[in-house]
Amino acid sequence: MKSTRITIIGTGYVGLVSGTCFAEVGHQVTCVDKDPQKIALLQKGGIPIYEPGLEELIQRNVAAGRLRFTESTAEGVANSEVIFIAVPTPPQPDGSVDLSFIEGVAREIASHLTTYRIIVDKSTVPVKTAEKVAETIRRYCKSKAEFDVVSNPEFLREGFAVEDLMKPDRIVIGVGSQRPVTAMKELYEPFQAPIIVTDTNSAELIKHAANSFLALKISYANALSVICEAAGANVQEVTRGMGLDARIGTRFLQASLGFGGSCFPKDLSAFIQISSQLGYDFRLLKEVQRINADQMDRFLKKLTDTLWVLKDKRIGVLGLAFKQNTDDVRTSPAIEVCQRLVKEGAILRVYDPQAMDKAKALLPPGPQVEYVATQDAVPEGCDALVIATEWPQFTQLDLTQTRRVMNTPIVIDGRNLFDPEEMERLGFIYKSIGRAA
Ligand code: UDX
């Protein structure tokens, strides 16, 4: 394979995992971040995020001399043919996307540009951003060097990022001219995945459209869960039956207490805003948001219907991350559950295998919130136990012991981890999502 010299600006999930995987397949990678602490940590072999498999991959590629970290954009632009922009695009209060980091990096690249470079938008950005990046670089590049801007959105899932990047379903490459196509195809050749070459606007829309569709799929399952409860049906059976139709598939059809994370909520709001600015009122996606918010309300109502008064009740919560396999708590449904229970005066015992450190900023330890060292210790003395994140190890909970140590045997399961019949046989009052008790 042809080794390409690559610079990645931004060492968040997408930047760090992309850079590491590019190095793993043989490219020469420089990761740039303006945060000196982050760069120092990475240079010492530490990683700022929990991502299965990432730490050893970084260490192996740093040792092989294919991966390095620096604060200097100038260095990155000087010694790489392809420069990826992978900086945050955070949501604004009105749901639109804050592109100030993108614009800042574009101007910084422009100031160091002296010879032809391919500049790649890896961050999730609204349609027409590539055009604005090109216009910005033209305006601020004093050397008038030639360049191409490419849109190359990322589809990795947190917690499965290395797997998703090393074995992608597809590579999307949006270009404004044919000049960068060969180099981009060579760069991605080692991943052996279908490559779509299209225009930049279509490439940018693929990302928001795909994420919004996945969120829609989850909200469809969550809407079904409400109907199943009313009909005495089992949403897991319904979605299993649906999913065997190859046109539907079973993935992202698991009913839950609602989706969260740093992508779906943000990308949905952004896509609604983008569509509105383009003159389309995307009411379907507004309904996806409404169903998701409603699902959280319904989940908490299961608790209040069962416990009646929440004030001074001792409630165990298993899970704080927004999903399994990550320590990320941004827009986590589990954190929202805890915050709403604290507001009602409940006293919480909480545990998460990875996310407890990051959770403390949003859910400070105190008289109402105790962080517990093991999952088995959470139910002690509790009036109810809430399952909030789909960590597989929670299914290993010793239910007989749990029944014995709880004050009242009430389990409210937001992730359908347990079997209703077995829970009833063990003497629990068990409520879950879309499945009759
Ligand atoms: C998502 C997209 O999957 C990924 O392709 C994109 O690049 C970034 O956004 P991520 O936010 O990491 O990835 O998490 P994801 O695995 O999609 O889960 C999002 C939320 O949906 C989580 O809260 C998860 O618990 C929830 N979920 C997922 C469900 O409630 N039901 C499901 O069936 C699947």
Side-chain angles (χ1 to χ4, degrees):
M1 55 77 72
K2 178 177 178 298
S3 175
T4 304
R5 296 184 305 162
I6 295 169
T7 284
I8 306 231
I9 300 174
T11 57
Y13 272 93
V14 172
L16 191 53
V17 179
S18 305
T20 307
C21 292
F22 282 139
E24 179 66 9
V25 297
H27 297 306
Q28 205 61 33
V29 180
T30 302
C31 285
V32 178
D33 201 296
K34 65 177 190 306
D35 178 347
Q37 285 173 324
K38 226 177 188 185
I39 293 298
L41 175 69
L42 287 160
Q43 284 169 336
K44 279 205 310 269
I47 64 168
I49 53 174
Y50 171 75
E51 190 58 53
L54 182 62
E55 190 157 11
E56 46 272 25
L57 216 53
I58 290 178
Q59 285 162 0
R60 179 158 76 226
N61 283 281
V62 167
R66 287 191 299 265
L67 177 62
R68 53 192 295 279
F69 302 99
T70 174
E71 293 172 52
S72 161
T73 301
E75 198 183 310
V77 173
N79 66 22
S80 303
E81 286 88 38
V82 185
I83 298 141
F84 284 83
I85 301 175
V87 293
T89 51
Q92 311 242 51
D94 67 355
S96 62
V97 182
D98 174 359
L99 292 170
S100 56
F101 296 113
I102 297 276
E103 199 250 6
V105 168
R107 289 174 58 169
E108 206 177 345
I109 291 171
S111 68
H112 302 302
L113 213 53
T114 54
T115 179
Y116 178 74
R117 290 287 182 259
I118 297 171
I119 291 110
V120 185
D121 278 347
K122 183 57 102 170
S123 304
T124 301
V125 292
V127 63
K128 295 184 174 301
T129 299
E131 292 171 357
K132 293 201 174 61
V133 167
E135 188 186 314
T136 301
I137 295 174
R138 260 193 299 281
R139 182 174 304 152
Y140 289 93
C141 178
K142 293 194 174 40
S143 72
K144 299 302 169 209
E146 291 186 344
F147 63 90
D148 275 293
V149 175
V150 172
S151 167
N152 174 221
E154 194 39 65
F155 303 97
L156 63 83
R157 292 167 295 154
E158 288 185 30
F160 305 88
V162 172
E163 175 189 328
D164 286 351
L165 241 153
M166 292 307 285
K167 293 196 286 301
D169 289 338
R170 78 298 203 185
I171 306 293
V172 171
I173 294 171
V175 295
S177 83
Q178 286 308 303
R179 185 171 179 183
V181 173
T182 306
M184 292 302 290
K185 282 185 171 177
E186 282 171 352
L187 193 152
Y188 276 106
E189 190 277 329
F191 295 94
Q192 295 293 301
I195 295 182
I196 297 176
V197 179
T198 182
D199 63 276
T200 54
N201 290 332
S202 301
E204 287 164 337
L205 274 178
I206 288 170
K207 173 68 180 187
H208 276 118
N211 257 17
S212 299
F213 185 79
L214 289 169
L216 181 151
K217 212 179 165 189
I218 295 168
S219 278
Y220 186 81
N222 285 338
L224 280 179
S225 74
V226 180
I227 296 164
C228 287
E229 285 177 15
N234 180 329
V235 71
Q236 289 178 313
E237 297 301 289
V238 172
T239 52
R240 185 160 67 96
M242 288 169 62
L244 290 171
D245 180 327
R247 295 166 301 175
I248 298 173
T250 52
R251 297 180 66 191
F252 283 67
L253 213 50
Q254 281 79 49
S256 66
L257 73 171
F259 59 76
S262 63
C263 296
F264 280 176
K266 169 175 84 95
D267 290 355
L268 258 183
S269 305
F271 201 21
I272 289 166
Q273 276 284 332
I274 292 160
S275 306
S276 166
Q277 282 154 11
L278 292 168
Y280 180 72
D281 179 8
F282 215 141
R283 292 191 300 278
L284 178 61
L285 295 186
K286 289 177 180 174
E287 185 58 16
V288 168
Q289 289 179 316
R290 195 198 60 73
I291 291 170
N292 202 51
D294 186 46
Q295 195 71 358
M296 173 60 70
D297 293 339
R298 288 174 180 278
F299 179 69
L300 287 163
K301 188 172 180 304
K302 290 174 192 287
L303 194 58
T304 47
D305 283 355
T306 315
L307 265 184
W308 186 20
V309 173
L310 295 184
K311 186 165 171 17
D312 296 334
K313 285 291 186 334
R314 302 174 63 76
I315 300 174
V317 180
L318 285 178
L320 294 167
F322 80 92
K323 68 170 187 177
Q324 62 165 306
N325 253 20
T326 183
D327 62 353
D328 198 346
V329 290
R330 289 174 291 179
T331 327
S332 165
I335 293 287
E336 183 177 344
V337 167
C338 292
Q339 289 171 335
R340 285 170 66 162
L341 292 179
V342 166
K343 212 179 285 175
E344 295 289 326
I347 298 158
L348 306 186
R349 290 167 63 79
V350 301
Y351 170 79
D352 187 283
Q354 289 293 340
M356 290 205 279
D357 288 345
K358 289 192 175 174
K360 286 172 181 169
L362 300 171
L363 188 73
Q368 282 186 265
V369 181
E370 183 183 354
Y371 282 76
V372 179
T374 67
Q375 63 185 42
D376 291 324
V378 167
E380 275 159 37
C382 285
D383 301 301
L385 178 66
V386 169
I387 315 293
T389 307
E390 69 280 31
W391 283 104
Q393 51 266 53
F394 291 164
T395 61
Q396 305 311 309
L397 202 64
D398 177 341
L399 293 171
T400 309
Q401 164 75 359
T402 296
R403 173 82 176 74
R404 194 172 31 250
V405 300
M406 286 185 78
N407 201 19
T408 47
I410 295 169
V411 174
I412 313 291
D413 183 354
R415 297 293 186 166
N416 288 345
L417 292 189
F418 295 101
D419 173 67
E421 282 162 19
E422 189 199 354
M423 295 301 277
E424 207 160 329
R425 190 171 48 72
L426 288 168
F428 287 99
I429 297 168
Y430 176 72
K431 295 190 177 174
S432 61
I433 307 286
R435 306 183 302 170

